[in-house]
């Protein structure tokens, strides 16, 4: 079993990953590259750029790392997992072929179409003229998406044609997202509630973690611009029938299609779904853990997270799953990976962000955080240090996590902790997980 584990990345998701690896009874030694002030309490932070594959490999060699978990999408899309695997290191995270599901939305659409998985209809364009001509024939609303990974800014849900045309110009004419916007999808807009499903797979077997929901808009009631996520909760109460459809209509055919295409995948595949009146549809895939979904899904795990990561990275997930209890508390009958996460409990994260986010914001403001408690703790996302003192250093600064016997308890713990964060430049949404306990059919 791995003893020296590296987490690549330095945001809230990576702090959560480090925290749950550190809870392993196997007492691993954990490294974070580059990590953040939150990971420093549990891991050794190593300087380095996750996009510099040789630097990451050199750090692995220097510290005799035997297992690497890659957090963010950019290094995965750039092939960091392939590079480390080639050097003999076990990696949790897909190679560049699998990461294309996130890095190339047109490719993802092709995989979905071949696998017969429900997804909004679309057209792809690489010239502004052709895209605008198509737009003229459409009824609104529609969704315009840069095909490549654009740091979460490539998607615009448009009510008016003028808005859609502006986003098309931003991508195709201004090249605001560089090559990531050189090709664009214009997609049918779906309505319903969103759901994040995290599938852990080693390419042969798979398990689903408890479903979660992110709150993407900056404003209360789901208003204002899209953000990286202002809060999340898990589990989302779903009917057994909906769980069955998610597994049989989406996850199983997707993984079968990856096998058919000879695309190896060891890591987590995040399916972003819209639950529509006619059933679940795929809006997007990510090739990594969700941020901030990870912060609320991992606290529901009763099992050793390190062992899950290790068996997945080494192609032995089946061994791990065999040892799981078939607990009724871990999802409906037949849910793959039942017993992995406890669906009776609840976890909620509320993000405190710098004023102005997702637009321009100030950083470097003094920050004081409350101490962690057994059922509520602070996850660092955009924090830094100046003269030995904690300061804000990003848009999403910290996430306050609460867990409990149900979502309402988890929610009140998260907000009680957030009330004790001291900083003069933060704001948060007060409605995270507010209607969480309503079951979605
Ligand atoms: P993506 O980066 O593809 O996840 O898109 C970001 C967000 O845009 C999603 O989480 C949804 O809230 C929204 N979105 C994307 N595609 C659609 C669609 N076809 N219909 C409605 N909303 C969408
Ligand atoms: N929470 C959305 C994402 O991780 O992409």
């Amino acid at each position: 079993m791995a003893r020296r584990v590296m987490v690549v990345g330095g945001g809230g998701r990576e702090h959560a990953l480090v925290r749950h690896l550190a809870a392993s009874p196997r007492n691993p030694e954990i490294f974070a590259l580059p990590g953040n002030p939150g990971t420093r309490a549990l891991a050794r932070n190593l300087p380095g750029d996750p996009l510099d594959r040789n630097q990451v490999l050199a750090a692995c060699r220097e510290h005799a790392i035997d297992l690497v978990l890659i957090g963010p999408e950019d290094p995965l899309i750039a092939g960091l997992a392939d590079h480390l695997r080639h050097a003999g290191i076990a990696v949790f995270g897909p190679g560049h072929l699998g990461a294309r599901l996130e890095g190339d939305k047109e490719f993802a659409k092709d995989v979905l179409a071949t696998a017969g998985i429900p997804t909004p209809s679309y057209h792809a364009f690489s010239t502004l003229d052709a895209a605008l001509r198509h737009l003229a024939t459409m009824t609104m609303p529609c969704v315009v998406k840069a095909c490549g990974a654009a740091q979460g800014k490539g998607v615009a849900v448009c009510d008016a044609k003028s808005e859609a045309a502006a986003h098309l110009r931003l991508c195709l004419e201004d090249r605001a997202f560089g090559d990531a916007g050189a090709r664009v999808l214009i997609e049918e807009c779906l309505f319903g509630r969103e759901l994040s499903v995290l599938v852990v797979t080693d390419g042969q077997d798979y398990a689903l973690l408890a479903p979660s929901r992110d709150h993407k808009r900056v404003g209360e009631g789901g208003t204002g611009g899209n953000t990286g996520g202002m809060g999340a909760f898990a589990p989302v109460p779903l009917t057994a029938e909906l769980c069955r459809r998610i597994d049989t209509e989406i996850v199983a055919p997707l993984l079968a299609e990856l096998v058919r295409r000879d695309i190896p995948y060891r890591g987590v595949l995040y399916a972003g779904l819209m639950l529509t009146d006619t059933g679940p549809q795929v809006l997007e895939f990510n090739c990594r853990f969700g941020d901030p979904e990870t912060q609320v899904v991992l606290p529901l795990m009763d099992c050793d997270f390190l062992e899950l990561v290790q068996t997945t990275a080494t192609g032995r997930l089946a061994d791990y799953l065999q040892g799981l209890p078939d607990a009724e508390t871990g999802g409906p009958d037949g849910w793959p990976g039942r017993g992995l996460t406890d669906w009776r409990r609840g976890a909620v994260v509320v993000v405190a962000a710098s004023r102005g986010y997702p637009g321009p914001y100030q950083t470097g403001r003094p920050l004081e955080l409350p101490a962690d408690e057994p059922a509520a703790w602070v996850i660092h996302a955009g924090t830094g240090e100046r003269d030995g003192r904690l300061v804000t250093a990003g848009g999403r600064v910290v996430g306050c996590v609460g867990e409990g016997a149900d979502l309402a308890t988890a929610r009140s713990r998260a907000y009680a902790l957030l009330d004790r964060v001291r900083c003069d430049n933060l704001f948060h949404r007060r409605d995270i997980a507010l209607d969480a306990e309503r079951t979605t059919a």
Side-chain angles (χ1 to χ4, degrees):
M1 181 57 61
R3 280 292 151 86
R4 301 173 70 82
V5 186
M6 177 192 282
V7 172
V8 174
R13 165 186 47 215
E14 287 75 28
H15 184 189
L17 293 169
V18 165
R19 181 184 161 91
H20 293 282
L21 289 171
S24 168
R26 294 164 204 270
N27 294 322
E29 195 165 342
I30 303 176
F31 298 79
L33 185 151
N36 66 32
T39 63
R40 181 168 304 125
L42 302 160
R44 182 158 159 203
N45 286 351
L46 302 174
D49 175 2
L51 287 173
D52 184 337
R53 55 173 73 185
N54 289 321
Q55 213 177 50
V56 178
L57 179 57
C60 289
R61 291 215 163 109
E62 184 184 342
H63 299 283
I65 303 293
D66 43 24
L67 175 64
V68 177
L69 196 176
I70 303 173
E73 62 274 20
D74 287 345
L76 288 163
I77 293 167
L80 177 61
D82 307 289
H83 192 64
L84 300 178
R85 277 195 188 106
H86 191 68
I89 298 168
V91 182
F92 184 101
H96 76 284
L97 288 176
R100 245 185 115 189
L101 284 173
E102 176 164 3
D104 180 351
K105 289 185 193 291
E106 200 175 2
F107 169 74
K109 284 291 198 188
D110 185 59
V111 171
L112 286 164
T114 334
I117 298 171
T119 186
S121 60
Y122 75 101
H123 288 86
F125 302 93
S126 39
T127 67
L128 183 61
D129 270 1
L132 290 175
R133 271 201 307 276
H134 178 75
L135 181 64
T137 68
M138 287 191 76
T139 49
M140 290 290 107
C142 75
V143 184
V144 177
K145 301 184 171 184
C147 272
Q151 322 275 274
K153 299 200 170 76
V155 175
V157 180
C158 307
D159 288 326
K161 288 193 179 176
S162 56
E163 252 178 286
H167 198 69
L168 287 170
R169 286 206 171 82
L170 201 65
C171 295
L172 294 168
E173 199 170 68
D174 306 345
R175 288 301 191 96
F177 310 116
D179 284 349
R183 234 172 129 69
V184 169
L185 305 185
I186 303 183
E187 195 173 277
E188 167 199 5
C189 187
L190 296 185
F191 299 93
R193 307 181 90 196
E194 286 184 60
L195 188 76
S196 305
V197 176
L198 301 177
V199 185
V200 178
T201 180
D202 63 358
Q204 297 171 68
D205 295 282
Y206 68 98
L208 301 174
L209 301 178
S212 54
R213 178 168 294 142
D214 183 6
H215 296 256
K216 288 213 167 84
R217 302 295 190 99
V218 69
E220 281 167 18
T223 55
N226 255 336
T227 69
M230 295 299 292
F233 66 92
V236 177
L238 303 177
T239 61
E241 170 62 5
L242 183 52
C243 290
R244 189 192 60 76
R245 291 189 67 177
I246 290 170
D247 182 34
T248 58
E249 295 176 15
I250 293 173
V251 180
L254 170 69
L255 296 177
E257 179 61 17
L258 293 184
V259 170
R260 199 187 65 80
R261 291 183 185 222
D262 252 339
I263 298 179
Y265 203 106
R266 286 184 177 176
V268 68
L269 212 164
Y270 165 139
L273 308 185
M274 185 70 92
L275 306 176
T276 72
D277 287 348
T278 55
Q281 298 207 30
V282 174
L283 294 185
E284 59 158 347
F285 290 123
N286 295 317
C287 59
R288 44 150 182 99
F289 278 104
D291 190 350
E293 289 93 329
T294 305
Q295 286 83 316
V296 290
V297 170
L298 293 186
L300 303 181
M301 270 193 77
D302 285 329
C303 334
D304 184 356
F305 179 52
L306 172 63
E307 199 180 340
L308 175 68
V309 171
Q310 166 101 29
T311 51
T312 303
T314 52
R316 295 180 298 107
L317 181 59
D319 294 349
Y320 181 81
L321 296 178
Q322 257 165 19
L324 283 182
D326 183 31
E328 277 173 36
T329 56
D333 205 9
W335 179 255
R338 184 157 113 132
L340 197 56
T341 41
D342 186 346
W343 291 36
R344 283 171 313 183
R345 298 191 346 238
V348 173
V349 62
V350 184
V351 169
S354 297
R355 279 188 208 290
Y357 174 78
Y361 53 82
Q362 284 186 2
T363 57
R365 306 291 276 264
L367 178 67
E368 271 179 54
L369 300 176
D372 289 351
E373 298 166 8
W377 55 89
V378 178
I379 293 290
H380 291 237
T383 66
E385 277 162 336
R386 204 175 53 198
D387 305 327
R389 294 193 53 194
L390 208 55
V391 293
T392 63
R396 291 187 293 174
V397 176
V398 291
C400 290
V401 182
E403 67 159 340
D406 51 43
L407 281 164
T409 311
R411 180 172 192 275
S412 59
R413 287 183 174 147
Y415 276 103
L417 193 70
L418 186 64
D419 272 345
R420 291 164 43 216
V421 171
R422 298 276 167 264
C423 181
D424 65 0
N425 194 42
L426 297 182
F427 76 97
H428 63 271
R429 276 180 63 165
R430 284 167 299 175
D431 63 344
I432 302 300
L434 196 54
D435 66 347
E437 282 175 285
R438 207 174 69 188
T439 301
T440 308

